Amino acid sequence: MALTFNTMKNRDLNKIDLSYPLFQGTQKIYVPGKIFRDLRVPFRQIVYGNGKHLNLYDTSGPFTDPDIQLTISKGLPPIRKTWTAQGTGDASSCKVSRKKQIKKKKCYTQLHYAKRKVITPEMEFVAIRESCTPQLVRQEIAAGRAFLPANINHPESEPMIIGQKFLTKVNANIGNSAVSSDIVSEIEKMIWAVRWGADTVMDLSTGPDIHETREWIIRNSPVPIGTVPIYQALEKVGGVAEELTWDIFRDTLIEQAEQGVDYVTIHSGIRLKNVPLAAGRLAGIVSRGGAALSRWCTKHQKENFLYTHFSDICDILAMYDVGISLGDGLRPGSIADANDRAQFAELKVLGELVKRAWRSEVQAIIEGPGHVPMHLIKANVDKEKRLCHQAPFYTLGPLTTDIAPGYDHITSAIGAAMIGWYGAAMLCYVTPKEHLGLPNRNDVKDGLIAYKIAAHAADLAKGHPTARHWDDALSWARYHFCWDDHFRLSLDPQRAKSFHDETLPEKHSKKDHFCSMCGPKFCSMKMTHDIFEIKK
Amino acid sequence: MALTFNTMKNRDLNKIDLSYPLFQGTQKIYVPGKIFRDLRVPFRQIVYGNGKHLNLYDTSGPFTDPDIQLTISKGLPPIRKTWTAQGTGDASSCKVSRKKQIKKKKCYTQLHYAKRKVITPEMEFVAIRESCTPQLVRQEIAAGRAFLPANINHPESEPMIIGQKFLTKVNANIGNSAVSSDIVSEIEKMIWAVRWGADTVMDLSTGPDIHETREWIIRNSPVPIGTVPIYQALEKVGGVAEELTWDIFRDTLIEQAEQGVDYVTIHSGIRLKNVPLAAGRLAGIVSRGGAALSRWCTKHQKENFLYTHFSDICDILAMYDVGISLGDGLRPGSIADANDRAQFAELKVLGELVKRAWRSEVQAIIEGPGHVPMHLIKANVDKEKRLCHQAPFYTLGPLTTDIAPGYDHITSAIGAAMIGWYGAAMLCYVTPKEHLGLPNRNDVKDGLIAYKIAAHAADLAKGHPTARHWDDALSWARYHFCWDDHFRLSLDPQRAKSFHDETLPEKHSKKDHFCSMCGPKFCSMKMTHDIFEIKK
């Protein structure tokens, strides 16, 4: 079945760049499953230093596999289709055909299986990616401390897990707005995002063509896709928040779940009584969904319908194993508003809701701020863990200062690294364009690089058992003047090499025991080699 | 007296760009002294929101003052010349003519005056810059907790202070190497650095023309200049560390102090017995000075001459009020080597030396790492405070991961922000070019922006009383859709505006109550205005 564009206006589909060659000395490898032998878990393998190798977690999907021929209009190979047909693993008490479940309109979620001690193919897949046991994955999901987003209708995605005990994850927001971008640009951004390490992608489109944009993205995405369904619901009522109804929202939610959205942000935490708490703020309400629902509550003087219909929402999500990301509609949007009453009143509501989601066997994560100065960051994690029963925390930044629009990937990477260390499980990136405009492809890359740094720094600090291998490999190459290894072990090999080329472009320079920073006589590492008489 | 170039090879002096116009709506103002009425303390004043204004600390010197005509070959106006002739303030017991002191070859340092309860013009100047009392400045200098670098032979500089109780400072490293750059480029980098907020500049030149490069930089620098004299000494012995002698070093130190260098990094902390502690490291010794002295010690099997001659060094420095920056020659150069025995053995030696410097009335700071994962950063500050008697801590980053060469301004801004919050007083920037080559002008700017963000985030977190004014002003402008104010209040107004222009270039867009990120119907702030019926 081929996808067709109905509303493609601006650009040709064939212009989408699908060639993302890996840097020289790097290859894509696959590790097979042990429980489920047809699993093929991807890694980026870097060979360096005469036979050493480093296997890195790889989010880039088939786009970096030269052996797979891709056509955007066909979508990615639906790798999970065969898994869902094969049963659910080694715990005989629960061996049921998921194909049958789907036919019967009764889907069991990963949380359902985990609670019953069943290891699913998805669980083994992420265990291999994370270099841990499938048992750990299962236990963490069962306890609600981890979240494996995997809509049964998104068979193209490669399973991943979000939880404090695992590698810190990064989400990239894409999506057009009414005044900017088109579908092709958004598909390109998604492919570009997974190339640079996005673990999940949220399609936050708010303009026209929301449904179609999302269809193209889901069918071509190797990572879980998140959305904020209220945006599309708002579009259906012409952007007038007070005209939203439960029926419109419900239909939108079902539409998106059917398409294959893996997790949805829902602002059920906004409550009528809490909205006035934001009145005295310097920057008001900065969540789009939060503002819309606050407006709805205020205009109607009624409780938020996403709160009153929370059980109905969970029933829909459970049908598809769509996870819920409990939105922080009252997150602070300025340093002045950080950790205020409005924010924490909502967090308390989220703590109540996450338990209700779990009772419906819906997986859940909790969204967090926003703009927070460094000394107030840890309290956010501590409160979230306590009030929300250790559900995974998914934060936007936080930005540690308001003064640098144009550089908010940096203001927020500082906060993101810290909150990841303190216990946040996924970091939503912020691009340099934040507050100023819709990000383009370069902004997506810049945001991701900053956040992969933050996530990795967090993994080092929280003592993740495999994190330091990468740092040690790179520092080994650096100390031994293996410039080509130095480049290929870098987060962005092309950039590392091009920076070195700027001052020392000659091929023989890549074997020199110095760089232009110090020159041949002043290289400290070279001097150290002499002191300790080190040989490569 | 005009400077002349002897060795200008590559480019014309006239090509140096001296025009750094301030962003529209911003002006340079001066605040006069109260004790010393001829002081003129510069601020960058931003007028916004119908008559509000924000005065920001301004490091850019006369380059951003349209009323001052500058000629590079003449150097900057020597503003401190008249101060040094006028006596030293309000404590009558110490009223001596500094001009006479200099004639008698007996200079009294800021520490000398501070201990005797004398407020100098330099102290009042920094008190006005920092919005604090001159008494606080004096007390902190007297206690050794703050450092006011002000060589009597650098009258062109505008005094500043480095200490935990004050705004967190940023240093920018410039300087050529044997394989790259020229004098004109380095002057340009210095001017560019102060334009973007460098509080001090270190000239780390290692190539030819070290003396001349430094002369041009000092005569044109409105901020204190730091150096690492061992680099020039090494140049004099052809880069062969073991040929260094105390005599060569002493002559170099006097030469630099005479020129007006405000502070010098000296690696007296390297001791013969500690060098072997670095032998098992992943990345060896990464300080150039540290490696050279370690080599000298090892080859001669003798104690470091910078340690044995420490009292002689202090005597020279006291003559000019040159401050000492006690170098961390054994700082870790990789995550694997952080907080190891070699590093802390040296820190203990620095703690001994700082007391000796103070006894000679030489002001001192302590240099710190380097590469440190987040969870090990705080221990660095705690140990430094304890072992080094609360002398100001001056750190390079630290980089919180090794994996991202090409982006080490970000890997290290994370660590820098945190260590500033924990108590470091000055942050030495790291540019994106670190580990790969000599930074160019763009790299200098990128490094500075990342570090101004880190320093400001640190100031917010440590609760500096004036820090939040800036964030609050910007967030006010953002919330009220005053786009032009939003831009001019930004750390980099041009970039903020150009990012907004990318998607909404029309002039009327600067009055719109939305941007392209969300479009007109989905702007959360606009919705909040409606909810709370806010008027500008």
Side-chain angles (χ1 to χ4, degrees):
Chain A
M1 178 199 70
L3 296 159
T4 51
F5 268 112
N6 294 321
T7 52
M8 179 67 62
K9 293 160 199 152
N10 308 327
R11 298 176 50 203
D12 195 315
L13 192 63
N14 300 323
K15 290 197 181 138
I16 294 180
D17 185 5
L18 287 178
S19 63
Y20 290 95
L22 290 168
F23 198 75
Q24 189 219 340
T26 303
Q27 58 181 335
K28 186 134 185 157
I29 62 158
Y30 294 93
V31 174
K34 282 180 183 166
I35 305 171
F36 300 96
R37 303 215 169 250
D38 57 343
L39 298 186
R40 295 177 75 233
V41 183
F43 289 91
R44 182 155 60 94
Q45 183 172 76
I46 302 167
V47 178
Y48 69 102
N50 293 335
K52 296 189 197 0
H53 67 270
L54 180 75
N55 290 349
L56 293 177
Y57 193 107
D58 179 21
T59 60
S60 62
F63 299 107
T64 51
D65 186 337
D67 298 335
I68 301 182
Q69 285 299 315
L70 293 173
T71 313
I72 285 287
S73 59
K74 286 189 177 164
L76 301 184
I79 54 166
R80 287 174 60 223
K81 227 171 195 172
T82 55
W83 306 352
T84 53
Q86 90 185 99
T88 54
D90 60 351
S92 53
S93 64
C94 256
K95 266 196 184 164
V96 288
S97 158
R98 285 209 242 160
K99 206 172 183 179
K100 274 189 198 161
Q101 292 162 24
I102 294 165
K103 265 197 180 164
K104 284 197 278 180
K105 293 228 168 191
K106 182 64 196 167
C107 157
Y108 293 127
T109 68
Q110 297 289 329
L111 177 56
H112 172 92
Y113 292 115
K115 278 179 166 176
R116 285 160 187 78
K117 299 200 166 55
V118 177
I119 289 168
T120 64
E122 285 82 359
M123 294 178 201
E124 193 192 15
F125 193 98
V126 303
I128 295 168
R129 287 189 113 169
E130 300 271 348
S131 310
C132 70
T133 64
Q135 287 74 22
L136 177 71
V137 172
R138 189 200 61 69
Q139 282 162 17
E140 291 297 299
I141 295 173
R145 288 191 299 264
F147 172 53
L148 194 164
N151 185 324
I152 53 168
N153 290 339
H154 187 198
E156 299 88 350
S157 83
E158 298 171 345
M160 53 79 69
I161 194 159
I162 299 162
Q164 191 179 350
K165 292 215 179 140
F166 305 100
L167 291 164
T168 305
K169 301 304 186 296
V170 170
N171 171 68
N173 288 339
I174 61 168
N176 50 21
S177 75
V179 294
S180 192
S181 195
D182 57 54
I183 296 178
V184 173
S185 299
E186 296 311 315
I187 300 173
E188 281 188 333
K189 282 187 211 168
M190 181 277 291
I191 298 173
W192 195 230
V194 299
R195 171 69 185 83
W196 290 107
D199 293 287
T200 75
V201 167
M202 289 195 81
D203 173 14
L204 303 187
S205 294
T206 54
D209 316 323
I210 292 183
H211 183 99
E212 191 178 0
T213 304
R214 192 171 53 234
E215 184 66 19
W216 284 86
I217 288 172
I218 293 173
R219 296 287 77 81
N220 286 287
S221 172
V223 303
I225 295 297
T227 61
V228 187
I230 200 82
Y231 295 170
Q232 191 181 1
L234 265 168
E235 204 64 56
K236 291 178 183 176
V237 295
V240 184
E242 51 270 36
E243 291 184 9
L244 285 166
T245 65
W246 162 245
D247 287 348
I248 291 169
F249 183 83
R250 183 200 54 214
D251 292 349
T252 309
L253 188 61
I254 293 169
E255 173 190 336
Q256 297 200 7
E258 277 286 339
Q259 267 186 307
V261 168
D262 298 284
Y263 67 98
V264 285
T265 294
I266 297 189
H267 299 89
S268 300
I270 295 283
R271 296 203 53 186
L272 177 62
K273 63 176 182 180
N274 290 336
V275 175
L277 297 177
R281 281 181 163 183
L282 182 59
I285 299 170
V286 295
S287 150
R288 297 191 287 205
L293 273 314
S294 294
R295 183 170 165 146
W296 190 94
C297 292
T298 311
K299 292 266 172 180
H300 295 290
Q301 281 299 305
K302 274 191 186 164
E303 191 57 275
N304 175 7
F305 62 85
L306 297 178
Y307 180 82
T308 54
H309 283 277
F310 191 71
S311 299
D312 301 320
I313 290 169
C314 289
D315 290 344
I316 295 167
L317 299 181
M319 290 266 293
Y320 302 85
D321 201 0
V322 174
I324 190 165
S325 183
L326 287 161
D328 56 337
L330 297 181
R331 69 171 174 266
S334 72
I335 290 294
D337 299 334
N339 293 22
D340 72 353
R341 280 178 66 208
Q343 181 194 339
F344 288 139
E346 183 185 34
L347 189 64
K348 210 174 154 191
V349 180
L350 300 187
E352 169 208 321
L353 295 174
V354 74
K355 281 208 151 179
R356 291 175 58 191
W358 289 339
R359 277 201 292 275
S360 303
E361 298 192 332
V362 170
Q363 300 185 82
I365 47 179
I366 308 291
E367 293 187 12
H371 292 237
V372 185
M374 283 189 288
H375 63 300
L376 299 182
I377 291 176
K378 188 160 185 299
N380 278 275
V381 183
D382 293 345
K383 267 187 201 283
E384 190 272 342
K385 294 283 169 209
R386 197 177 73 245
L387 294 173
C388 301
H389 321 287
Q390 306 207 49
F393 201 20
Y394 167 33
T395 62
L396 178 70
L399 286 71
T400 53
T401 167
D402 303 341
I403 66 167
Y407 300 90
D408 278 328
H409 60 314
I410 299 178
T411 65
S412 68
I414 295 168
M418 291 173 70
I419 209 163
W421 168 31
Y422 295 144
M426 184 156 75
L427 311 171
C428 181
Y429 84 170
V430 174
T431 79
K433 223 33 105 27
E434 185 77 14
H435 301 117
L436 299 168
L438 202 70
N440 61 26
R441 202 159 165 269
N442 287 339
D443 299 318
V444 167
K445 179 183 169 186
D446 285 344
L448 273 164
I449 292 279
Y451 273 69
K452 293 308 278 189
I453 288 169
H456 187 76
D459 288 337
L460 286 173
K462 74 184 188 185
H464 188 284
T466 66
R468 228 187 72 188
H469 299 167
W470 192 355
D471 299 77
D472 289 355
L474 193 137
S475 286
W476 180 92
R478 179 174 287 157
Y479 187 55
H480 289 92
F481 299 103
C482 303
W483 287 105
D484 287 326
D485 288 341
H486 192 168
F487 304 146
R488 66 173 63 105
L489 285 162
S490 297
L491 186 56
D492 182 354
Q494 281 84 356
R495 171 137 155 171
K497 182 169 186 304
S498 72
F499 275 16
H500 191 266
D501 287 349
E502 261 182 48
T503 48
L504 293 171
E506 305 82 5
K507 200 160 185 190
H508 68 79
S509 301
K510 310 307 176 196
K511 299 198 184 299
D512 283 345
H513 281 206
F514 61 89
C515 76
S516 70
M517 200 167 172
C518 306
K521 287 188 299 188
F522 285 84
C523 177
S524 58
M525 287 189 167
K526 194 179 166 196
M527 284 191 258
T528 315
H529 284 227
D530 295 341
I531 297 168
F532 300 125
E533 286 167 33
I534 288 161
K535 284 176 185 60
K536 205 195 312 184
Chain B
M1 178 199 71
L3 295 159
T4 51
F5 269 114
N6 295 321
T7 52
M8 179 68 63
K9 293 162 200 151
N10 308 329
R11 298 177 49 204
D12 194 316
L13 192 62
N14 300 322
K15 288 197 182 140
I16 293 180
D17 185 4
L18 287 177
S19 62
Y20 291 95
L22 290 168
F23 198 74
Q24 189 220 342
T26 303
Q27 57 182 337
K28 185 133 186 158
I29 63 159
Y30 294 93
V31 174
K34 283 179 182 166
I35 304 170
F36 300 96
R37 302 216 171 250
D38 57 343
L39 298 186
R40 297 177 75 232
V41 183
F43 289 92
R44 182 155 61 94
Q45 183 173 75
I46 303 167
V47 178
Y48 69 102
N50 294 333
K52 297 188 197 357
H53 67 270
L54 180 75
N55 290 350
L56 293 178
Y57 193 106
D58 180 19
T59 60
S60 62
F63 300 107
T64 51
D65 187 337
D67 297 336
I68 301 181
Q69 286 298 316
L70 293 173
T71 313
I72 284 287
S73 59
K74 286 189 177 161
L76 300 184
I79 54 165
R80 287 173 60 222
K81 228 174 195 170
T82 55
W83 306 351
T84 53
Q86 89 184 99
T88 54
D90 60 352
S92 54
S93 64
C94 257
K95 266 196 183 163
V96 288
S97 157
R98 285 210 243 164
K99 206 172 184 179
K100 275 190 199 159
Q101 292 162 23
I102 295 166
K103 266 197 179 164
K104 285 197 277 181
K105 295 230 167 190
K106 181 64 195 167
C107 156
Y108 292 128
T109 66
Q110 297 289 329
L111 177 55
H112 172 92
Y113 293 115
K115 277 179 169 176
R116 285 160 187 77
K117 299 202 165 52
V118 178
I119 288 169
T120 63
E122 285 82 357
M123 293 177 201
E124 193 191 16
F125 194 98
V126 303
I128 295 168
R129 289 189 112 169
E130 300 272 346
S131 310
C132 70
T133 65
Q135 286 73 23
L136 177 71
V137 172
R138 190 201 61 71
Q139 283 162 17
E140 291 296 301
I141 295 173
R145 289 191 297 265
F147 171 54
L148 194 164
N151 186 324
I152 54 168
N153 289 338
H154 186 197
E156 300 89 349
S157 83
E158 299 172 344
M160 54 77 70
I161 195 159
I162 299 161
Q164 191 180 351
K165 293 216 177 137
F166 305 99
L167 291 164
T168 305
K169 302 304 185 295
V170 170
N171 171 69
N173 288 339
I174 62 167
N176 50 22
S177 75
V179 294
S180 192
S181 195
D182 56 55
I183 296 178
V184 173
S185 299
E186 296 310 314
I187 300 172
E188 281 188 333
K189 281 187 212 169
M190 181 277 290
I191 299 173
W192 194 230
V194 300
R195 170 70 186 83
W196 289 107
D199 293 286
T200 76
V201 167
M202 290 194 82
D203 173 13
L204 303 188
S205 293
T206 53
D209 316 324
I210 292 184
H211 182 98
E212 192 178 0
T213 304
R214 191 169 55 232
E215 184 66 19
W216 284 87
I217 287 171
I218 292 172
R219 297 287 76 80
N220 286 287
S221 172
V223 303
I225 296 296
T227 60
V228 187
I230 201 81
Y231 296 171
Q232 191 182 1
L234 264 169
E235 203 64 55
K236 291 179 183 175
V237 295
V240 184
E242 52 270 37
E243 292 183 9
L244 287 166
T245 65
W246 162 245
D247 287 348
I248 291 170
F249 184 82
R250 183 199 56 214
D251 293 349
T252 308
L253 188 60
I254 293 170
E255 172 189 337
Q256 298 199 7
E258 277 287 338
Q259 267 186 307
V261 168
D262 298 283
Y263 67 97
V264 285
T265 294
I266 298 190
H267 299 89
S268 300
I270 295 284
R271 294 202 55 185
L272 178 62
K273 64 176 181 181
N274 290 335
V275 175
L277 297 178
R281 281 181 163 183
L282 181 60
I285 299 171
V286 296
S287 151
R288 295 190 289 202
L293 272 314
S294 294
R295 182 168 165 148
W296 190 94
C297 292
T298 310
K299 292 266 172 180
H300 295 291
Q301 281 299 304
K302 273 192 188 164
E303 191 57 276
N304 176 7
F305 63 86
L306 297 178
Y307 179 81
T308 55
H309 283 276
F310 192 71
S311 299
D312 302 320
I313 290 169
C314 289
D315 289 344
I316 295 167
L317 300 181
M319 291 266 292
Y320 302 86
D321 201 0
V322 175
I324 190 166
S325 184
L326 288 162
D328 54 338
L330 297 181
R331 68 171 175 268
S334 72
I335 290 295
D337 299 334
N339 292 23
D340 71 354
R341 281 179 67 208
Q343 182 194 338
F344 288 138
E346 183 184 35
L347 189 64
K348 210 174 155 191
V349 180
L350 301 186
E352 169 208 323
L353 296 174
V354 74
K355 281 209 150 178
R356 291 175 58 191
W358 289 338
R359 275 201 293 273
S360 303
E361 298 192 333
V362 170
Q363 301 185 81
I365 46 178
I366 308 291
E367 294 187 9
H371 291 236
V372 186
M374 284 189 287
H375 64 300
L376 300 182
I377 291 176
K378 190 162 184 298
N380 278 274
V381 183
D382 294 345
K383 266 185 202 285
E384 189 272 343
K385 294 284 169 209
R386 197 178 71 246
L387 294 174
C388 300
H389 322 287
Q390 307 209 47
F393 201 21
Y394 167 33
T395 62
L396 177 71
L399 285 73
T400 53
T401 167
D402 303 340
I403 66 166
Y407 299 90
D408 278 328
H409 60 313
I410 299 178
T411 64
S412 67
I414 295 167
M418 292 174 69
I419 209 162
W421 168 32
Y422 294 144
M426 184 155 76
L427 311 171
C428 181
Y429 84 171
V430 173
T431 79
K433 218 42 99 30
E434 185 77 14
H435 300 116
L436 299 168
L438 202 69
N440 62 25
R441 205 160 162 269
N442 287 339
D443 298 319
V444 167
K445 180 183 169 186
D446 285 344
L448 273 163
I449 292 278
Y451 272 70
K452 294 307 277 189
I453 289 169
H456 186 77
D459 289 337
L460 286 173
K462 75 184 187 186
H464 190 283
T466 66
R468 228 187 70 188
H469 299 167
W470 193 355
D471 299 77
D472 289 356
L474 192 138
S475 286
W476 181 92
R478 179 175 286 158
Y479 187 55
H480 290 92
F481 299 104
C482 302
W483 286 105
D484 287 326
D485 289 341
H486 191 169
F487 304 146
R488 67 173 63 105
L489 285 162
S490 297
L491 185 57
D492 182 355
Q494 282 83 356
R495 171 137 155 173
K497 182 169 186 302
S498 73
F499 275 16
H500 191 266
D501 287 349
E502 259 181 48
T503 47
L504 294 170
E506 304 83 7
K507 201 161 183 189
H508 67 80
S509 301
K510 311 304 177 195
K511 298 197 185 301
D512 283 345
H513 280 205
F514 60 89
C515 76
S516 70
M517 200 167 171
C518 306
K521 290 188 298 190
F522 286 84
C523 177
S524 59
M525 288 188 166
K526 194 179 167 196
M527 284 191 257
T528 315
H529 285 226
D530 296 342
I531 297 168
F532 300 125
E533 286 166 34
I534 287 162
K535 281 173 187 61
K536 208 197 307 186

